[in-house]
Amino acid sequence: QGSGLSRSLSSTANGNDSKKFKGDIRGPGIPSRVIHVRKLPNDINEAEVISLGLPFGKVTNLLMLKGKNQAFIEMNTEDAAQTMVSYYSSVTPVIRNHPIFMQYSNHKELKTDNSPNQVRAQAALQAVNAVQAGGMPMAGGVDASGGMGGHSPVLRVIVENLFYPVTLDVLHQIFSKLGTVLKIITFTKNNQFQALLQYSDGLTAQHAKLSLDGQNIYNACCTLRINFSKLTSLNVKYNNDKSRDYTRPDLPTGDSQPSIDHQAMAAAFGAPGIISANPYAGAHAFPPAFAIQQATGLTMHGVPGGLAQLTMPVAAAAAAAGRMGFHQLSGGHCVMLVSNLNPEVIVPPLLNLCEGVYGDVMRVKILFNKKENALIQMSDGTQAQLAMSHLNGQRLHGKALRVTLSKHTNVQLPREGHEDQGLTKDYSNSPLHRFKKPGSKNYSNIFPPSATLHLSNIPPSVVEDDLKMLFASSGAMVKAFKFFQKDRKMALVQMSSVEEAIESLIEFHNHDLGENHHLRVSFSKSTI
């Protein structure tokens, strides 16, 4: 079945590629582990095609049709393939200014032969899998033609068109989406903001360079220019806003340091003292490369800037900018239209809590004639952008939320004497606002909805069973629970689904635990 297609594919792929497709032909749009990628640039290599699939799971097979600018990627599970296709359907990936398109293939899996094309594809896959399995770099990777040679794990990053401040934390949030960032040093040289950034291995660094080089952090500005550094390791002496070693939380802040510390400048000029004896020291202690949070169901409509294809970083960077007061970033649209709500269970306070994870909700208005729709006004456009990017597509009370920016600039309160049955609520003076203080640490704890919740402000008398019973009391299932070892005021609780976690957050954020302690609940990036 499907042999005619496999024969015609084979001949275009390499003349003697007799790559077979196994299994029945399926209708278009039916999920499959195999994804058909089209409109690739002529000079595309295997590494770049594989990198499209890496954030979503393991890439198990690859067929390149270079003559047709097409490829087939096989993922390890249908779930991974579905996440990938739904993500890229809303956020078109771009390689060297080529928008790339993908859809499910009609075939369930790919079968490989030993043609030169396939040998190269398999070598590229093995290189990636070796790194993913062990977190260790390949000695030399694949040859230069495969594009996966032994690159330095250190990237040199220059930020051009610096119209808004870019901080070390912004860089960390963006680059850590592509793998484990070990160390960062930032400095100013030739009047340009620059950074040296070390990953756990060279392949991750190459993947990050491919994904991020030339991208804008914010709309039409703050452009990333990325090259491999001659250094193979960074030597960080202080953890502060200029340099950070994430493997050494015990380092001093060195507060007396001048604003550009000397070792950062030395690093910039490639001073020999920076290179450590073992260029990959300690890399194996880190999680495998590409441990990227799955971008499940995130859609990005109207996101500013070139980083739109990296949903979460744009939101994270926007949050960091919001922290510095750059509220005009997303055009000042601070009102969102949320639709496809469940009108039987949705009341304004629920939406206030749901959206309040991503910013401070000022007003909520359920639409009188269409109670499944609501307008939500955030305190600024950055927070609206953030809430939209994280909540659009998430399920709440059995229905997938649709979140877009509204054309309204604010939510009107009902006029004196015109009651609207409690459909409009004003929260501008709410004690629950988490982001009032500039530089609030809540900005750095913004994560997409996940099944694991982070709890804080737990009084000493409350034990594990109390909290498990509290979260089970709403009918939800608690799968796991863990107190933080160093701080028993905080804990993680894992629910059975993201939807249950969202509902639990709404139910129990600010819940009175006694002793004047109100429980704080947010989404966690960790699992238990």
Side-chain angles (χ1 to χ4, degrees), residues 19 26 53 63 80 108 121 133 146 164 193 243 253 296 321 329 420 470 513 517:
K19 180 132 194 171
R26 302 141 76 78
L63 170 62
K108 278 186 182 169
Y164 300 118
F193 176 74
S243 62
T253 58
T296 13
L329 267 182
D420 67 351
L470 175 69
L513 291 173
H517 282 67

Side-chain angles (χ1 to χ4, degrees), residues 37 135 186 225 318 366 453 511 522 528:
V37 187
T186 64
R225 298 277 173 237
I366 309 275
L453 296 170
H511 182 84
S522 54
I528 302 175

Side-chain angles (χ1 to χ4, degrees), residues 37-113:
V37 187
R38 296 175 294 120
K39 304 217 171 156
L40 291 165
N42 289 331
D43 55 347
I44 190 95
N45 65 36
E46 285 80 2
E48 290 173 297
V49 177
I50 293 168
S51 75
L52 291 168
L54 284 176
F56 305 96
K58 189 173 174 184
V59 179
T60 47
N61 215 336
L62 174 69
L63 170 62
M64 302 282 284
L65 305 183
K66 287 192 176 171
K68 286 193 160 186
N69 303 83
Q70 296 182 14
F72 287 84
I73 298 174
E74 179 188 281
M75 301 300 288
N76 60 335
T77 66
E78 205 169 278
D79 276 356
Q82 273 185 288
T83 304
M84 179 173 167
V85 170
S86 72
Y87 179 65
Y88 286 135
S89 67
S90 59
V91 177
T92 307
V94 178
I95 294 181
R96 286 191 289 291
N97 298 326
H98 279 253
I100 290 155
F101 299 94
M102 51 188 84
Q103 64 198 53
Y104 297 116
S105 164
N106 293 336
H107 300 277
K108 278 186 182 169
E109 60 183 67
L110 299 173
K111 260 189 156 181
T112 319
D113 65 12

Side-chain angles (χ1 to χ4, degrees), residues 455-474:
L455 313 181
S456 58
N457 206 29
I458 302 166
S461 60
V462 170
V463 295
E464 178 172 334
D465 281 352
D466 298 333
L467 289 162
K468 279 180 162 170
M469 281 168 66
L470 175 69
F471 277 79
S473 66
S474 63

Side-chain angles (χ1 to χ4, degrees), residues 222-250:
C222 301
T223 309
L224 294 169
R225 298 277 173 237
I226 303 172
N227 289 297
F228 292 105
S229 169
K230 293 189 180 72
L231 304 171
T232 50
S233 182
L234 299 177
N235 177 19
V236 175
K237 294 192 177 74
Y238 302 107
N239 281 342
N240 54 33
D241 59 353
K242 296 277 185 285
S243 62
R244 199 80 51 87
D245 183 339
Y246 296 94
T247 69
R248 294 276 314 276
D250 55 314

Side-chain angles (χ1 to χ4, degrees), residues 202-516:
L203 186 63
T204 312
Q206 188 193 17
H207 179 46
K209 180 178 183 297
L210 283 172
S211 302
L212 295 172
D213 189 24
Q215 299 281 6
N216 295 331
I217 298 178
Y218 304 126
N219 195 12
C221 69
C222 301
T223 309
L224 294 169
R225 298 277 173 237
I226 303 172
N227 289 297
F228 292 105
S229 169
K230 293 189 180 72
L231 304 171
T232 50
S233 182
L234 299 177
N235 177 19
V236 175
K237 294 192 177 74
Y238 302 107
N239 281 342
N240 54 33
D241 59 353
K242 296 277 185 285
S243 62
R244 199 80 51 87
D245 183 339
Y246 296 94
T247 69
R248 294 276 314 276
D250 55 314
L251 287 177
T253 58
D255 289 331
S256 59
Q257 285 299 298
S259 62
I260 298 171
D261 61 52
H262 296 300
Q263 120 263 12
M265 286 305 284
F269 290 104
I274 304 293
I275 301 173
S276 64
N278 173 3
Y280 294 108
H284 61 281
F286 280 85
F290 310 115
I292 302 179
Q293 280 178 312
Q294 299 227 340
T296 13
L298 287 177
T299 51
M300 284 305 269
H301 299 296
V303 163
L307 270 182
Q309 64 242 57
L310 290 161
T311 305
M312 291 175 281
V314 111
R323 185 160 68 198
M324 296 167 222
F326 288 104
H327 297 330
Q328 68 274 40
L329 267 182
S330 44
H333 280 280
C334 57
V335 179
M336 297 174 297
L337 172 65
V338 182
S339 49
N340 205 31
L341 294 165
N342 187 331
E344 276 116 63
V345 281
I346 294 297
V347 289
L350 293 191
L351 285 173
N352 175 22
L353 281 172
C354 181
E355 311 283 332
V357 180
Y358 299 111
D360 294 333
V361 175
M362 295 293 129
R363 291 174 183 170
V364 176
K365 183 187 194 79
I366 309 275
L367 300 191
F368 184 76
N369 294 329
K370 286 181 153 179
K371 293 204 169 52
E372 65 280 3
N373 293 350
L375 291 172
I376 298 179
Q377 181 179 337
M378 306 297 283
S379 72
D380 64 59
T382 302
Q383 293 180 0
Q385 193 78 59
L386 211 53
M388 180 181 83
S389 65
H390 283 314
L391 292 172
N392 187 25
Q394 297 293 348
R395 298 186 75 78
L396 179 60
H397 297 298
K399 301 184 83 168
L401 294 177
R402 276 202 299 278
V403 188
T404 54
L405 289 177
S406 164
K407 59 181 185 294
H408 294 281
T409 51
N410 66 344
V411 171
Q412 298 283 333
L413 289 174
R415 292 195 304 278
E416 290 277 341
H418 289 73
E419 259 318 298
D420 67 351
Q421 303 165 348
L423 294 176
T424 307
K425 285 274 188 282
D426 186 7
Y427 296 106
S428 46
N429 297 315
S430 166
L432 295 185
H433 285 174
R434 306 180 186 205
F435 302 91
K436 272 200 291 248
K437 289 194 202 97
S440 159
K441 69 175 190 295
N442 288 321
Y443 274 109
S444 55
N445 294 324
I446 289 176
F447 301 109
S450 60
T452 307
L453 296 170
H454 179 278
L455 313 181
S456 58
N457 206 29
I458 302 166
S461 60
V462 170
V463 295
E464 178 172 334
D465 281 352
D466 298 333
L467 289 162
K468 279 180 162 170
M469 281 168 66
L470 175 69
F471 277 79
S473 66
S474 63
M477 193 173 109
V478 175
K479 287 183 77 175
F481 181 92
K482 182 171 96 179
F483 272 112
F484 278 62
Q485 270 182 326
K486 291 182 182 162
D487 186 355
R488 305 253 324 162
K489 293 198 287 290
M490 297 197 289
L492 296 176
V493 60
Q494 191 170 334
M495 312 308 290
S496 64
S497 68
V498 176
E499 186 175 2
E500 259 191 13
I502 294 173
E503 288 167 14
S504 300
L505 181 143
I506 289 170
E507 181 100 11
F508 299 118
H509 176 60
N510 211 43
H511 182 84
D512 189 350
L513 291 173
E515 300 172 47
N516 209 11

Side-chain angles (χ1 to χ4, degrees), residues 67-192:
K68 286 193 160 186
N69 303 83
Q70 296 182 14
F72 287 84
I73 298 174
E74 179 188 281
M75 301 300 288
N76 60 335
T77 66
E78 205 169 278
D79 276 356
Q82 273 185 288
T83 304
M84 179 173 167
V85 170
S86 72
Y87 179 65
Y88 286 135
S89 67
S90 59
V91 177
T92 307
V94 178
I95 294 181
R96 286 191 289 291
N97 298 326
H98 279 253
I100 290 155
F101 299 94
M102 51 188 84
Q103 64 198 53
Y104 297 116
S105 164
N106 293 336
H107 300 277
K108 278 186 182 169
E109 60 183 67
L110 299 173
K111 260 189 156 181
T112 319
D113 65 12
N114 294 322
S115 68
N117 238 11
Q118 278 315 111
V119 169
R120 215 172 38 245
Q122 293 309 306
L125 279 169
Q126 277 164 11
V128 173
N129 291 338
V131 173
Q132 280 190 299
M136 280 297 280
M138 296 291 284
V142 180
D143 62 6
S145 65
M148 291 196 156
H151 287 295
S152 163
V154 179
L155 295 175
R156 179 173 178 155
V157 181
I158 296 174
V159 184
E160 295 177 348
N161 304 326
L162 194 73
F163 296 155
Y164 300 118
V166 172
T167 62
L168 182 146
D169 288 329
V170 168
L171 291 176
H172 182 254
Q173 284 181 303
I174 291 170
F175 281 83
S176 59
K177 297 301 172 204
L178 295 146
T180 305
V181 175
L182 306 191
K183 303 170 188 177
I184 303 179
I185 296 172
T186 64
F187 52 93
T188 303
K189 182 184 168 192
N190 304 338
N191 288 330
Q192 284 181 310

